[in-house]
Every structure is written in C-alpha cells, then in structure tokens.
Amino acid sequence: MRGSPLHQRPSGDPAALPWTAQPPFVPGPVPPGQGPAAGPAHPQAGYAASATPTAVPSALPSLDKRGAGTRPAVDPQVARELKRQVAAELHQQLSRLAAGSGVEADRATRRQRGRALIEEAVARWSDAYAQTHGIPPTRDQDRALAEAVFDLLFRAGRLQPYLDDPEIENILINGCDDVWISRVHQPLRQVPPVADSDAELVELLQDLARQHGGGERSLSTASPTLALRLEGGMRLQALTEVTPRPYVAIRRHRVASATLADLVALGTVDTTLAAFLGAAIRARKNVMITGTQGVGKTSLLRAMAAEIPPDERVGTLESEFELWLHTLGHLRQVVPMEAREGNGERVDGRQAGELTIGELIPAALRMTLSRIIVGEVRSGEVVPMLRVMTNGEGGSMCTLHARGPHMVVDRIAELCLEYGAHMTDSLAYRLTANAVDLIVHVSMVDETAVGGRRHRFVSHVLEVTGLGEHGRPAMNTVFGPRADQGEPRAVPHTPPNCLDDLRRAGFDAALLGSRYGSWAEPLQLRIGGGPR
C-alpha cells in the first residue's frame, strides 16, 4: 500500500528481497553494525545507481545477506539500461540474419544470441566499473547482473524470482510498488516493488504478451485486459486503463502433473474416493468439477485425466493452456486448442480476430475425438459443452466456478442464458440433466490467519439422476461431508445409480460400505472439527 512502511522504505526479510537497490556509498571506515552483512559481500557494494544512456558503471551488484549460495542483489536501473542496449544490438543482428536467410529467427536462436550479447555488455560494463572505481566486480556479481538483464529481455524481469519460487502460489500486483505474494500455508505478505513506475510495469506486461506467441494478445488503451500463460504453466491476468493503476494477478498450479494417487498423498481425496473417480473416468461418465478460485479444480481435472486410457484421442479447449495434457506424456493423442483474443478493433460488436472456446468446439467435434475436456466454462460456451456431453460417447470433463455444490445447477442455467435469447431455464435444466453424470465439488478451509494451513479437499460428489421436481435436475449425494462428526471431506453416503457401470470399470462396491471412507481420522482443524 502507498502508505505502508514497505512503500516508503523496503525493510523486510532479506530472503524476500530478490532485488535491492543499494544505498549511497560512504567512503572511509564502516561503523560497527553497519554496511554489508558478514559474509562474501563485495567491498564496493554500496554505490547508488545512476545509469546513463551509455551505462556509466556507478552501481555494483552486491551479495545480499543470504550468502554466496544465492544470487547477489542487482540495481534495477543498471540492468534496465543494459537491457535496452542489448535489445537494440539484438534487433540489428536478427534483422541482418533474416535479410540474409529470408527466415525469421526462432525463439531458441533469439535467446542464444541475446545471451551472448548480454555477456559482452556485462563484460564491458564490468571493465568500465573496474577502471572507474579501482576494484572489479566479482564473478558472482557479473553473473547476477547478466541474469537480471536476461530476465528483463526474455522473461519476466523483476517478477522472475517470484515466478521461480515453487512455494509461491499467488502474486497480486496493485501498481508497481504494491505487490503481495502468498506462499503455501502462509497468508499474504507484501514484498518490494517489481518496477520503478506503473509505466515500466505496463511495458513489462507488454513484453510478456509479445513473448506469449499465442495470437494477438496485447495490453493497451484499445485492449485494456490481458490474459496469458507464463513459462511453467502459470496464468496471468492484467487490467489497465479501466483501473486507476495496472493490476495483475498471477496464479501458479503447484501440482503440475498430479495423479489421483498424488492427490491422496496431499489429502485432497482418500483412496476410496480416488478409486471411485478413476472408475468414473474409465466408465466414460461426464464429470463437472466445481469450486471457487484457487481450490484445486484444475489439478483435480488433470489428475482425473490421467485415468483416461492412453490410446484415446482427446481434445482440450482452454483460454490459456493450463492442463498441459499434450506435454505430460500419458496420453498419446491430444489435440490442444487455445482460444485467441482479438486485436482491439470492434467488428459487429466483437474484437476482430477473436476466437472463443465456444467457437472452437464445433471444429473439435470434427477432429475424431473420443473425449473433450474444457479447462474452464465461463460463459455461453456451456451450451455447446453440454451438447458435447449429451451427444458424444461420454467421458468429457470441464470445470466451473461455483461456491457450493447445490448452486451448480442454477449456475449452469445462468451461463446458458448468456448463450442466446432462445435459451430458457427449463431448457438449461433439461440440457444439464441429460449431459452431466457427476458433479465433483472441491472446497478449501483456510486457517493461515490463525496459524494453521490451507486444506483443499473434495467435499461432495453428486450424481445427476435425470429431471426431478419442478423440471430441475435431481441429484443424489454419493459422497459428502459428515459435519456432525467433524468431517468436512467427502465420505460415502448413498450408492450411485450407475454403480454397475463403475463395477465394470473395476470399482469395488464394498468400498462404499465404510461410513468414513478410508480416512484414518477427521480433518485436523484449528477451529471446528472433532472426534468421530
């Protein structure tokens, strides 16, 4: 926040300060308790940045208090100036290369040549610094500066250390100097700025959009929103122009290639529910995974997809690739499709060049797919998705945002009404009853504010059994919590109508006889819960 001590002067845990501008250097003896921390810090680590267009070396990267095993802190002004120089040189080289060969350089070539130019630029800067100040930078400091320049040119700049930290789940940016992160089982905490100005932050986002390579994605006055995937499968959503400052939210899927067995180890499901869900996929049941943001819907979808026989031909449709089923290796034939944003020009009420998930579904149906998986249903694409589930062989899946499992039917109806004026509640209910076999709801209990953990788990599995009273889909609670016994997680309740289908797919019906599934004890919560 602008009024916070961090905004006025970063002073947090050194481990959370991957980029630290150094204070002005003071000649003469260093008073006790001041200056660089004990360890391998360079004696000239205190020069303040004053990079000029010719990159006069007046700031030196310094080792931070974490010691020699981590990257030294880097003055961002120096790194930014070297990045501009290297970008200009690289553009000239690649232009000459393209003119000579008639072929544009690929990403690997650009990075290879850029890396070489960065090393040369850092070497020139280091030599100039040594001549100016009499002491050369260390190899670690040169390497840190080169990595910082590389991150600015080809990756996410000063955001990159947070993206590289596997413990960070969310990065929330409310302007360049109001940055928050959340780590696993920890509450949000504020960290230093990721840019020196909002304009520089927007420039970074525009660079990321250009690197995306997935269509005409941009961030500008004409296109004030940006959604894209980052390296490692992270998802970024940014807003500008329609907000007072640039706002960014980045989410990481910490479980990149989970199986149901992995989710058992994480406590998301027990072995009973894992066996049930695996059999449901093998029995080609249509499954809708629901829950709020950040509870693990995509991770569960990915784990359930691992139960699909490897020789089946599967199509995935996503706004930004997050499932990565085409790269994980289990399925031999995956047709991955990613929606495309428009270029900002409005034609007939929509952006030119835009291609939505709903528009991709008809093309997907002509790709001889045995199943279709939609990463997230957000709007009118729910109607073609339900039709796929109704008309296909079965076994299709999708995720949907819903706060509670019994809200899902009405949530589907709301989205169906966005499809067109001819859609009605009764038609939406009929589509749902005919299409969906199982609704799997994922919940989260966040106790980090009281010193606990974030508990993510499946809380309900509902079977849709056709139309019921008042023309609404009837549902059967197959798995659900037992709140009276202090158990919020899904445990067996009522055998499903499709039990015979599941048994043919290898499910042991005797597993449903245990009142508490295969959990050894109730979920251990700081508040609530209790013995059986």
Side-chain angles (χ1 to χ4, degrees):
M1 298 178 186
R2 287 187 168 273
S4 70
L6 181 59
H7 174 75
Q8 298 162 9
R9 181 182 180 185
S11 58
D13 177 7
L17 306 178
W19 301 96
T20 306
Q22 305 302 327
F25 178 73
V26 181
V30 178
Q34 298 183 16
H42 194 281
Q44 302 295 321
Y47 285 97
S50 59
T52 70
T54 55
V56 174
S58 58
L60 182 65
S62 67
L63 285 170
D64 63 1
K65 296 180 181 179
R66 290 172 287 174
T70 58
R71 181 191 296 188
V74 172
D75 188 297
Q77 288 181 279
V78 175
R80 192 162 59 251
E81 180 54 42
L82 291 181
K83 177 248 186 180
R84 292 193 181 100
Q85 293 182 20
V86 171
E89 294 177 29
L90 181 62
H91 176 71
Q92 293 177 0
Q93 279 197 14
L94 295 180
S95 297
R96 290 195 296 268
L97 181 66
S101 64
V103 178
E104 294 288 336
D106 59 19
R107 184 179 185 181
T109 300
R110 291 196 300 271
R111 289 196 170 195
Q112 182 180 19
R113 288 178 175 263
R115 177 72 78 177
L117 290 173
I118 289 170
E119 296 295 339
E120 293 173 6
V122 170
R124 291 195 301 267
W125 180 89
S126 184
D127 290 344
Y129 187 94
Q131 293 176 6
T132 303
H133 300 287
I135 299 178
T138 68
R139 181 174 299 179
D140 282 341
Q141 290 162 335
D142 280 350
R143 187 180 299 114
L145 182 57
E147 287 301 315
V149 177
F150 185 85
D151 286 347
L152 285 170
L153 191 59
F154 294 109
R155 303 180 76 196
R158 288 153 69 180
L159 263 175
Q160 196 61 47
Y162 300 125
L163 302 181
D164 289 340
D165 186 341
E167 293 296 302
I168 292 178
E169 293 186 323
N170 294 285
I171 304 169
L172 306 176
I173 303 171
N174 312 315
C176 67
D177 52 2
D178 188 8
V179 185
W180 299 76
I181 63 170
S182 65
R183 285 189 167 89
V184 183
H185 304 312
Q186 294 182 14
L188 281 171
R189 59 175 297 192
Q190 198 172 13
V191 294
V194 294
D196 291 337
S197 67
D198 285 351
E200 182 186 330
L201 174 59
V202 170
E203 181 182 347
L204 169 62
L205 295 170
Q206 292 169 337
D207 286 344
L208 291 174
R210 282 190 288 269
Q211 297 169 21
H212 178 266
E216 303 177 7
R217 302 197 182 219
S218 63
L219 187 67
S220 62
T221 302
S223 299
T225 67
L226 173 66
L228 52 82
R229 65 182 186 275
L230 303 176
E231 289 183 356
M234 289 163 284
R235 184 175 71 184
L236 178 148
Q237 178 68 56
L239 294 171
T240 188
E241 302 296 335
V242 296
T243 52
R245 308 183 68 188
Y247 284 74
V248 185
I250 300 174
R251 284 191 53 212
R252 178 197 304 277
H253 293 289
R254 292 185 56 247
V255 185
S257 58
T259 63
L260 288 174
D262 295 326
L263 297 188
V264 170
L266 291 171
T268 304
V269 297
D270 66 351
T271 55
T272 298
L273 183 50
F276 179 91
L277 295 177
I281 297 304
R282 295 191 298 274
R284 308 193 69 89
K285 299 302 175 185
N286 292 323
V287 179
M288 185 171 284
I289 300 173
T290 64
T292 55
Q293 284 188 337
V295 296
K297 298 186 300 297
T298 302
S299 296
L300 178 58
L301 179 58
R302 194 183 294 119
M304 292 175 66
E307 297 294 320
I308 299 174
D311 287 329
E312 286 197 27
R313 184 172 169 87
V314 177
T316 61
L317 295 94
E318 303 176 82
S319 54
E320 300 86 35
F321 288 136
E322 293 182 277
L323 292 172
W324 299 106
L325 299 187
H326 57 293
T327 66
L328 296 179
H330 166 68
L331 295 168
R332 298 189 180 99
Q333 292 197 67
V334 179
V335 181
M337 289 162 274
E338 186 178 51
R340 187 177 67 196
E341 292 188 350
N343 61 13
E345 299 178 4
R346 292 282 174 176
V347 178
D348 295 329
R350 57 179 294 172
Q351 291 188 344
E354 181 183 21
L355 193 59
T356 67
I357 289 176
E359 291 167 329
L360 286 171
I361 288 179
L365 292 174
R366 291 189 285 269
M367 294 300 293
T368 317
L369 303 173
S370 66
R371 304 177 194 241
I372 289 181
I373 299 175
V374 175
E376 183 179 335
V377 171
R378 295 192 182 100
S379 187
E381 66 267 13
V382 69
V383 174
M385 181 69 211
L386 292 174
R387 288 174 176 165
V388 167
M389 290 180 166
T390 302
N391 300 328
E393 299 178 33
S396 294
M397 293 186 285
C398 66
T399 71
L400 176 78
H401 279 98
R403 193 175 65 182
H406 296 285
M407 301 177 183
V408 172
V409 169
D410 288 324
R411 176 74 177 134
I412 293 173
E414 290 173 8
L415 297 182
C416 285
L417 293 177
E418 297 181 14
Y419 183 72
H422 62 281
M423 183 61 64
T424 63
D425 286 348
S426 60
L427 181 54
Y429 291 150
R430 190 179 304 116
L431 276 172
T432 303
N434 291 334
V436 181
D437 295 310
L438 297 171
I439 295 170
V440 180
H441 190 76
V442 189
S443 298
M444 179 173 68
V445 177
D446 187 349
E447 294 193 313
T448 56
V450 292
R453 299 162 49 92
R454 290 188 184 92
H455 302 274
R456 295 178 172 93
F457 50 86
V458 174
S459 61
H460 296 77
V461 176
L462 306 179
E463 180 188 26
V464 181
T465 58
L467 285 176
E469 295 181 0
H470 309 297
R472 293 173 58 89
M475 290 190 290
N476 174 24
T477 302
V478 183
F479 287 79
R482 295 195 185 277
D484 58 329
Q485 299 295 320
E487 181 55 85
R489 299 171 296 192
V491 295
H493 274 244
T494 306
N497 291 347
C498 63
L499 183 57
D500 287 344
D501 293 338
L502 303 181
R503 290 172 60 198
R504 294 185 188 100
F507 180 66
D508 182 2
L511 293 174
L512 298 177
S514 173
R515 181 176 172 83
Y516 300 105
S518 50
W519 297 116
E521 59 182 1
L523 182 63
Q524 300 301 300
L525 298 175
R526 292 285 180 118
I527 299 174
R532 289 175 184 160

